[in-house]
Structure formats: C-alpha cells, structure tokens
Amino acid sequence: MHYKELCGKPYLGAEDLPEDTDIPLIIEAVFKEMAFNPGSKKEVEVGVLKFKDKSLKMILNITNSKAIAAVYGTETNKWIGQTIKLYRTTTRLGNKTVPCLRIKP
C-alpha cells in the first residue's frame, strides 16, 4: 500500500497506476474546484476531471488539458462521455525527475 492511501486523498496520482499500462477511463464531468498547492502552500482553483465509476478525481495541468483538447476540442463540455487513456511516466520539476500522469486520447 502506498502511504498516500492512508490519507484519504481525493485525486489520482502516478502511484495509483501500474507502470507500463494504459488505463481507459470515461470522462463524467469537467469542473473547477479549490485544492491545496504544496508549492505555494495555498488553496488554488484547479481544473478537475471526474471519471465514470471512479471515486478519485484528476487535477488537470496544461499538458493534459492540451492533449484532450487536441482530440475532443477546446470546449470542455464536449469532453464529457469521451474516453481517454491514463498512463504513468515522469517529468522534470525544477531539478528533479518526478512521476506524473499523462493522457492519451
């Protein structure tokens, strides 16, 4: 069990997906909500995806938002009901390589 599972977290993270696997998910809702930003140590408004039959939501970043928009358009209401595939990879954050989630349409 990953330690974050002990905290009742509301959002998907890279640790929630197995390596080298694409997970198909259906977008149920797209909305904004307040979430804690550990970098700024403040609550900030973020874009969020909710998936059909899943309790955890996913915070959208610009990279993942652009990946969805490239296939399903820039209007987020058109994303609802569409299938995306999530996969686990890494990205650079400052001078560190960290795990992250990415989207394939």
Side-chain angles (χ1 to χ4, degrees), residues 9-94:
K9 67 181 190 138
Y11 302 107
L12 281 170
E15 67 279 355
D16 296 313
L17 280 95
E19 292 185 38
D20 303 319
T21 303
D22 296 346
I23 307 294
L25 297 167
I26 298 170
I27 299 171
E28 183 177 278
V30 184
F31 53 92
K32 289 185 176 184
E33 69 181 24
M34 300 301 287
F36 181 75
N37 180 319
S40 67
K41 299 192 182 348
K42 296 179 180 178
E43 289 277 321
V44 295
E45 190 173 54
V46 296
V48 175
L49 291 180
K50 168 78 175 89
F51 301 106
K52 185 176 180 181
D53 302 322
K54 301 292 177 193
S55 60
L56 293 178
K57 301 171 279 187
M58 180 180 169
I59 293 177
L60 282 169
N61 60 23
I62 193 67
T63 300
N64 290 332
S65 297
K66 285 180 178 180
I68 299 170
V71 177
Y72 298 124
T74 58
E75 292 298 321
T76 59
N77 61 333
K78 294 181 180 175
W79 299 359
I80 297 168
Q82 302 296 339
T83 299
I84 60 170
K85 292 180 182 177
L86 287 185
Y87 67 99
R88 178 182 178 164
T89 189
T90 58
T91 191
R92 297 288 296 165
L93 183 63

